[in-house]
Amino acid sequence: MESAEQISEILKLANSKKIPVIPRGAGTGLSGMAVPAKGGIVLDLSHMNKILKISIEDRLAIVQPGVVYADLEKALAPHGFFFPPDPASGTVCTLGGNVATNAGGVKGAKYGTTRDYVLALQVVLPDGRIMRTGSKAIKSVSGYDLTRLFVGSEGTLGVVTEITLKINPRPPVTTTALATFDDLEDAGRAVSQIMHSGIIPSVLEILGRHTIVAINQNMDLNLPEVDAMLLVETDGYTREEAEYQMEKVIGVFNNNNPKEVKKARSLQDAEELWKARKSAYAVLARIKSHFVLEDVTVPMGKVADLLKGVEEISRKQGIQIATFGHAGDGNLHPQILYDGYDPDQVKRMEAASADLFKLAIDLGGTLTGEHGIGLSKAPYMGLEHDPVAMDVMRSIKKILDPNNILNPGKMALDG
Amino acid sequence: MEAKYEFEKKFREQILQCSRCGFCQAVCPVYGATLRPGLNARGKMLILKEIMDNKLDLSDELIETLFQCTTCASCFENCPSGVNVPEIIRQVRKDMVHIGSCHPAFKGMNEVLKKHPNIYAENEAEDFDREKNRKAEYVFFVGCVGLYREDESTEATLELLDRLGVDYTLIDEVCCSGVLEDVGYRINESLAGKNIERILATGAKTVITGCPYCYRTFNNKPQYEELREKGVEVVHVSQFLKDFEFGVRTDKRVTYHDPCDLGRHCGIYEEPRETIRKIAPDFVEMRHNHVDSLCCGAGGGVRGAFAKNSIAMARRRLEEAEEVGAEVVLTDCNSRVHNLANAKLRRQKFRIYNTTQFINELLDQAER
Ligand SMILES: Cc1cc2nc3c(=O)[nH]c(=O)nc-3n(C[C@H](O)[C@H](O)[C@H](O)COP(=O)(O)OP(=O)(O)OC[C@H]3O[C@@H](n4cnc5c(N)ncnc54)[C@H](O)[C@@H]3O)c2cc1C
Ligand code: SF4
Ligand code: SF4
C-alpha cells in the first residue's frame, strides 16, 4: 500500500462486496487487534513509511502511518526533540499502530500517551471517502474532536494514512534512582506520597516480588528478593532541576522504610539500575511456553492494592503471575505464565485474566491502559462500559461502517 | 505423536517459545530489504508452528521464506525468548532437502561440490605465483571467494604477509564446504579430508584463514575435528594481524563492517578494530556496529539464490557508511567485499576493501 488513494479504491471495492479489511502496522499489538478473525484483506501499511515533514518552529512532525516509532525518534534527535509515548516495542511498532491503539510507555505519567500528541489525521473511511481531521495548530476547538475519535479506534473506523504529531523538546538531563521495599504497603505509600510532593517523575516503574525472583533465577543481577522495587527517573533542562526533583523523591522513599535506596552517579550507574526493569520481559517470556501480558490500570493510589490483588488471584487460580509496570500512571503488567498445550493451564489463565479485569474495575480502573481491547478483551467490555456507552460506541461504528467491513469482531462492536 | 520432521524433534520447544513480539523484525535484513513480514524470523517461526500443528506441510511453496535467510543471527541476538532462528532454519532446510524441496541454486551448489573442488566449478585455481604445499610455520587458507572472485584482494593479503615476514604456505585447497550445512546439505567429507591431509602435510601448527566462514567451519564442525585433535590452531587473519605494527597511517575516514560470521557467530569484534585504529586515526563506527551490525545480505546462500534482495540488503548497509561520511569501508571477509562492492552506487565515493588489502595499499604508497 502506498497512498490514501489506493487504499480508498480497495475500501470501495471491499465495501461493495462486504469483504473484511484489517489494517496492519507491525503486528505487535497485544490483544489480537490485527488478527483477521473473520478472514478478509490484511492491509499492510508498512510500505507507507515516509516522514513527510519535521517542522521545529511549528513543533510538529507529519508522517505516513508505516513509519516505525524508532525511525521518527532518530529523525527528531538531531533537533533535540522527541515524540514522548515511548512504547517498549518502539524499534518495531508503527506510528499508525500507535495512533490506532493510543500507545503509551514508561513516560506516561509525565508526558501522557499518543492521544496527547495527535494534532491531525488523514483517514480513509470504510466507504472509501478520504477525510482530514484536526489542524496543524497546537490549539483547536473547531467542531467535534474527530481526531481523538480515531485515536485508539483499533482500525475499526477508518484507515489512518497520514498523521500530524506534536513533538516535545527533550530535556537533556536525567537522574536515576532505585529503591527496594520489604513490604508492599510501604512501596504503595511511597508512590502516593511522591504525587503529594508535587514532583512528577519522568519514569516511575515497579517490579513485584515474583518478577524479581524470576530475574534472580535467570540472570546474575543478585537483586534483593523484596516485595517491590521502584525505579525512578527525573528529568530537566539543568542538572539542578533534575537533582532537585530526585532529592524530593528520595526523601519520600526514606520516609517509607526502604530496604535500600541507590542513586546513580553516572550514566553507567543508571544503566545498571535499569537492568532489572529492562530484563523483566525477556526473563518472564522464557519461563513457560506461553504468556499473556495484561495491562490493567488503576488510579495511582491503588497500585499497591492492585499488586496485592494480583497475588491473591495467582494463588486462587494456581497459576504463576509476575508483575511489573508503570507505577507512575497506575498501569501494571501482570504477566500470566502458562503452558498453552495444557488445557487445564489454559483454563486457569483465562480465569485469572477474568479475575484481573474485575479487580481493576473494582478499584476504579480500566481493562487496558495501553494495549487495547482487540479480540482478547472484547468479552469484558461490558464490565467497564455501561450499556448506554456501549450503545453509543456501536452507533458510531454503524454510522461510519454500516457494512462492518473494517476490522470486524474487535472491541465488542458487533453487538 | 511422533514428530514428522527433524526440526520438530530438535527445536519444538524453541519454536513454541516464540511469542511473536516482533523484535526480530527491527533487525532482520531480509525484512529490511523487502518489508515482507512473512520473511522475518517471526514469520518463519509462525510457519513452522503451523507445520507442527499439521495445518501446513513443508513444500516448494515455502522455499521463498525458509531459504531466504542469511543466517546472520541478528534475530537471535535480539530475541527476548531466546529462539535460535539460524539453527532452526538450518535444520528445516535439511528436512526440506530430504523431502526433495530445495532452492535450485543450493541443489546446484551441492552437485557442483560433488564434482568440483570449489563452489564456482572452476578447475584452474590461481596459485598467486607462490610455491604451494611446502613445509612452513603457517598455512594460509584462502577460501573459494578469495581464490576465484576476489583474487586481487587475496594477492594483496599475501603481499602483506610477505612484507611482515610470515613463514606461510598455500596449499591445494578445496572448498571447506561449510556452506552446505547452511543450505540443507552436509559437509562434504571427502573435501574436508583433503583439506585436513594437505594442512597436516605442511607441518604447520597454525592455519590462518582469509575467510570467516572457513574459520568457523574448521573450528566448530566435527568433520574438521582431526585438525583440532592434532593441535593445529585455526585463526582468522584479522586475529593474526592484531599484534603487528605497520608503520603507515591514513588521513581518510575509515569505518568497519562486522561480517556476521566473524562477529555475531564467533564474537570477534575487537581484534579487527585494534588493527584498524593503528592505521586510521579517523575511525568511525556505523550506526549499527558490533553485535548490532547490519548484515550485508551475502550469507546463508542468499546471494546465490535471491540476488536482488541480497544486493538491496548490502545497499542498506552502505547507506550507513555514507551516513557517517566514511571514505573507506573495511571488512574482513572476501564474500562481504564482493557483495558490498556489487551494491555500491556510483554516487557513493567511498572504497571498499579487506583490511589487509588496504594496509598493503598504504604500504605500497609509502614505498613509492
Ligand atoms: C514486546 C512488546 C512490548 C510492547 N510495549 C508496549 C508499550 O510499552 N506500550 C504500548 O502502548 N504498547 C506496547 N505494545 C503493544 C504494541 O506494540 C502497540 O499496541 C503498538 O501501538 C502497535 O503498533 P503496530 O504497528 O504493531 O500495530 P498492529 O499490531 O499492526 O495493529 C494494531 C491495531 O492498530 C490498527 N492499525 C494499525 N495501523 C493502522 C492504521 N494506519 N490505520 C488504522 N488502523 C491501524 C490495526 O488494525 C490493529 O487493530 C508492546 C508489544 C510488544 C510485543
Ligand atoms: S524476536 Fe524471537 S520471540 Fe520475538 S517474534 Fe522474533 S523470533 Fe519470535
Ligand atoms: S538469521 Fe538474519 S536473515 Fe535470518 S531470520 Fe534472523 S535476522 Fe532474518
Side-chain angles (χ1 to χ4, degrees):
Chain A
M1 233 29 59
E2 273 158 24
S3 70
E5 287 68 29
Q6 281 179 341
I7 292 169
S8 160
E9 290 302 315
I10 289 172
L11 286 182
K12 275 182 205 157
L13 178 74
N15 198 32
S16 70
K17 308 251 183 227
K18 302 201 170 48
I19 305 169
V21 176
I22 300 89
R24 185 183 194 275
T28 65
L30 285 168
S31 51
M33 284 172 291
V35 174
K38 307 204 165 174
I41 303 167
V42 176
L43 206 64
D44 181 355
L45 294 148
S46 51
H47 287 254
M48 290 183 74
N49 58 1
K50 297 200 175 50
I51 296 174
L52 302 171
K53 183 174 180 182
I54 290 176
S55 170
I56 298 299
E57 67 259 32
D58 296 330
R59 203 185 148 191
L60 57 82
I62 304 178
V63 298
Q64 289 188 324
V67 171
V68 172
Y69 178 90
D71 288 339
L72 178 63
E73 279 291 273
K74 189 183 134 225
L76 292 175
H79 303 283
F81 274 67
F82 75 132
F83 169 52
D86 199 10
S89 50
T91 56
V92 197
C93 64
T94 66
L95 293 167
N98 293 165
V99 169
T101 62
N102 187 16
V106 289
K107 297 212 157 74
K110 182 158 183 179
Y111 292 101
T113 57
T114 302
R115 111 165 19 114
D116 302 308
Y117 295 88
V118 184
L119 296 175
L121 293 172
Q122 182 193 53
V123 182
V124 184
L125 297 176
D127 61 9
R129 284 182 299 164
I130 301 176
M131 167 175 81
R132 284 197 177 271
T133 73
S135 94
K136 290 193 183 64
I138 294 277
K139 290 169 72 175
S140 166
V141 288
S142 173
Y144 286 147
D145 193 343
L146 293 179
T147 308
R148 281 212 171 181
L149 177 60
F150 283 87
V151 177
S153 66
E154 299 186 6
T156 62
L157 297 179
V159 181
V160 173
T161 47
E162 193 187 287
I163 308 161
T164 304
L165 291 171
K166 182 167 80 178
I167 51 176
N168 272 13
R170 183 192 282 281
V173 186
T174 57
T175 58
T176 309
L178 186 112
T180 50
F181 297 88
D182 275 325
D183 189 340
L184 192 55
E185 300 275 334
D186 290 326
R189 208 177 322 103
V191 170
S192 309
Q193 285 184 8
I194 290 173
M195 295 305 147
H196 280 293
S197 76
I199 301 297
I200 302 184
S202 49
V203 171
L204 181 54
E205 294 288 291
I206 188 163
L207 302 182
R209 179 180 283 276
H210 289 297
T211 305
I212 299 171
V213 171
I215 294 173
N216 272 352
Q217 284 166 355
N218 292 282
M219 299 183 66
D220 297 326
L221 293 183
N222 290 322
L223 306 171
E225 295 191 354
V226 289
D227 259 10
M229 179 183 272
L230 289 175
L231 175 76
V232 59
E233 182 191 276
T234 57
D235 64 1
Y237 290 88
T238 62
R239 173 118 329 257
E240 292 69 37
E241 187 189 352
E243 293 287 349
Y244 172 80
Q245 298 174 70
M246 185 55 88
E247 264 167 43
K248 289 238 176 182
V249 173
I250 287 180
V252 171
F253 286 158
N254 286 335
N255 285 337
N256 286 286
N257 313 313
K259 183 178 172 76
E260 199 183 11
V261 179
K262 278 190 197 165
K263 184 165 172 285
R265 313 218 166 276
S266 64
L267 281 180
Q268 225 173 347
D269 275 5
E271 257 171 47
E272 282 297 310
L273 298 187
W274 268 96
K275 261 193 189 151
R277 171 63 183 89
K278 286 201 170 157
S279 61
Y281 175 81
V283 163
L284 298 176
R286 295 180 195 208
I287 290 180
K288 287 278 170 70
S289 67
H290 292 74
F291 64 81
V292 187
L293 184 62
E294 296 296 1
D295 71 321
V296 283
T297 307
V298 294
M300 263 97 84
K302 294 281 197 291
V303 166
D305 297 320
L306 180 58
L307 269 171
K308 239 186 293 161
V310 172
E311 291 201 357
E312 272 158 34
I313 293 170
S314 166
R315 266 196 300 275
K316 177 177 140 207
Q317 300 297 354
I319 197 153
Q320 208 176 339
I321 311 180
T323 307
F324 61 94
H326 321 308
D329 57 19
N331 181 188
L332 295 193
H333 294 305
Q335 199 158 334
I336 311 176
L337 314 175
Y338 69 105
D339 174 358
Y341 282 79
D342 175 349
D344 176 55
Q345 291 221 356
V346 173
K347 245 192 248 149
R348 288 167 194 272
M349 175 278 289
E350 284 167 354
S353 284
D355 286 354
L356 261 177
F357 296 140
K358 182 151 186 319
L359 171 67
I361 303 296
D362 287 347
L363 291 172
T366 173
L367 302 171
T368 169
E370 51 188 27
H371 297 165
I373 297 294
L375 277 179
S376 60
K377 299 187 198 87
Y380 303 99
M381 279 288 274
L383 255 185
E384 181 170 352
H385 304 285
D386 62 41
V388 183
M390 284 311 301
D391 187 47
V392 171
M393 284 193 233
R394 287 171 184 150
S395 306
I396 294 172
K397 168 77 172 167
K398 274 208 187 85
I399 293 173
L400 289 171
D401 186 11
N403 293 326
N404 193 21
I405 62 156
L406 258 187
N407 210 0
K410 312 293 163 67
M411 267 166 79
L413 294 170
D414 296 6
Chain B
M1 200 177 59
E2 176 69 1
K4 201 162 160 190
Y5 299 112
E6 283 295 314
F7 85 77
E8 179 170 359
K9 283 185 207 151
K10 292 189 184 149
F11 295 110
R12 180 183 173 81
E13 277 184 15
Q14 278 205 39
I15 295 166
L16 294 182
Q17 206 69 45
C18 166
S19 67
R20 304 192 263 300
C21 65
F23 280 124
C24 49
Q25 182 160 301
V27 294
C28 176
V30 181
Y31 177 80
T34 60
L35 298 183
R36 285 181 52 194
L39 298 184
N40 66 29
R42 175 173 59 176
K44 291 172 163 85
M45 293 308 104
L46 261 172
I47 287 170
L48 297 182
K49 182 171 176 294
E50 297 282 282
I51 293 170
M52 298 197 309
D53 290 347
N54 288 317
K55 291 182 188 156
L56 261 183
D57 207 357
L58 282 182
S59 71
D60 284 2
E61 252 184 305
L62 299 179
I63 288 176
E64 190 184 0
T65 168
L66 296 177
F67 278 81
Q68 195 158 191
C69 165
T70 66
T71 64
C72 70
S74 297
C75 48
F76 181 36
E77 284 293 342
N78 286 278
C79 175
S81 302
V83 185
N84 189 339
V85 177
E87 279 303 321
I88 296 171
I89 289 294
R90 272 189 203 110
Q91 184 55 52
V92 171
R93 288 171 171 184
K94 285 186 178 149
D95 286 329
M96 288 186 73
V97 167
H98 189 68
I99 60 161
S101 275
C102 179
H103 192 285
F106 302 147
K107 204 166 164 184
M109 194 187 295
N110 188 48
E111 292 304 313
V112 162
L113 284 177
K114 279 188 194 158
K115 294 189 211 117
H116 300 272
N118 57 70
I119 54 171
Y120 299 113
E122 305 257 0
N123 289 323
E124 281 299 302
E126 170 76 57
D127 68 1
F128 300 100
D129 294 326
R130 284 164 175 82
E131 187 193 343
K132 287 202 256 182
N133 306 313
R134 62 178 188 87
K135 293 272 172 206
E137 203 175 333
Y138 300 95
V139 165
F140 186 77
F141 192 92
V142 183
C144 295
V145 185
L147 276 177
Y148 301 102
R149 291 292 178 273
E150 291 292 331
D151 43 341
E152 254 182 62
S153 168
T154 302
E155 178 63 46
T157 306
L158 299 180
E159 272 178 30
L160 179 64
L161 292 178
D162 291 339
R163 283 182 145 129
L164 297 172
V166 179
D167 173 27
Y168 69 91
T169 178
L170 300 176
I171 58 167
D172 279 316
E173 64 179 68
V174 292
C175 175
C176 75
S177 82
V179 65
L180 290 179
E181 291 274 332
D182 274 358
V183 299
Y185 297 89
R186 293 183 56 76
I187 288 189
N188 182 319
E189 302 220 351
S190 131
L191 293 178
K194 282 184 190 148
N195 281 331
I196 295 171
E197 186 189 317
R198 289 166 194 176
I199 289 168
L200 293 177
T202 66
K205 282 282 158 244
T206 308
V207 178
I208 307 167
T209 72
C211 164
Y213 205 95
C214 304
Y215 168 81
R216 268 181 78 193
T217 306
F218 289 163
N219 274 317
N220 302 324
K221 297 292 176 204
Q223 290 84 346
Y224 285 93
E225 183 74 39
E226 192 181 342
L227 282 183
R228 304 193 285 272
E229 278 169 8
K230 301 236 158 97
V232 176
E233 195 192 357
V234 180
V235 298
H236 183 258
V237 64
S238 65
Q239 296 174 299
F240 180 73
L241 285 181
K242 84 170 177 32
D243 296 325
F244 287 91
E245 292 300 330
F246 307 98
V248 279
R249 267 166 192 254
T250 177
D251 299 334
K252 295 205 165 86
R253 173 166 289 191
V254 175
T255 189
Y256 175 71
H257 166 71
D258 292 276
C260 306
D261 284 318
L262 214 52
R264 272 185 296 272
H265 286 293
C266 297
I268 300 176
Y269 298 108
E270 295 314 324
E271 292 96 322
R273 287 176 168 80
E274 271 178 46
T275 303
I276 295 170
R277 284 206 182 89
K278 280 186 218 163
I279 54 155
D282 192 7
F283 172 74
V284 288
E285 293 283 8
M286 284 185 265
R287 181 150 49 94
H288 294 97
N289 56 68
H290 289 79
V291 70
D292 296 328
S293 174
L294 204 58
C295 168
C296 83
V302 169
R303 186 182 50 218
F306 304 95
K308 198 169 138 231
N309 289 343
S310 173
I311 291 284
M313 291 178 232
R315 293 232 155 98
R316 289 182 72 227
R317 184 51 165 162
L318 292 180
E319 276 168 22
E320 296 201 342
E322 214 176 350
E323 208 174 85
V324 294
E327 294 163 277
V328 174
V329 179
L330 296 182
T331 185
D332 275 317
C333 171
N334 284 314
S335 187
R336 274 62 199 160
V337 169
H338 191 65
N339 213 42
L340 291 172
N342 282 342
K344 192 164 89 79
L345 302 172
R346 206 168 297 156
R347 73 173 151 81
Q348 293 174 324
K349 293 294 176 223
F350 47 73
R351 291 194 56 192
I352 303 161
Y353 305 82
N354 267 322
T355 306
T356 45
Q357 187 183 10
F358 184 62
I359 298 173
N360 196 54
E361 190 174 296
L362 291 179
L363 289 166
D364 275 348
Q365 286 163 1
E367 273 177 19
R368 259 186 247 134

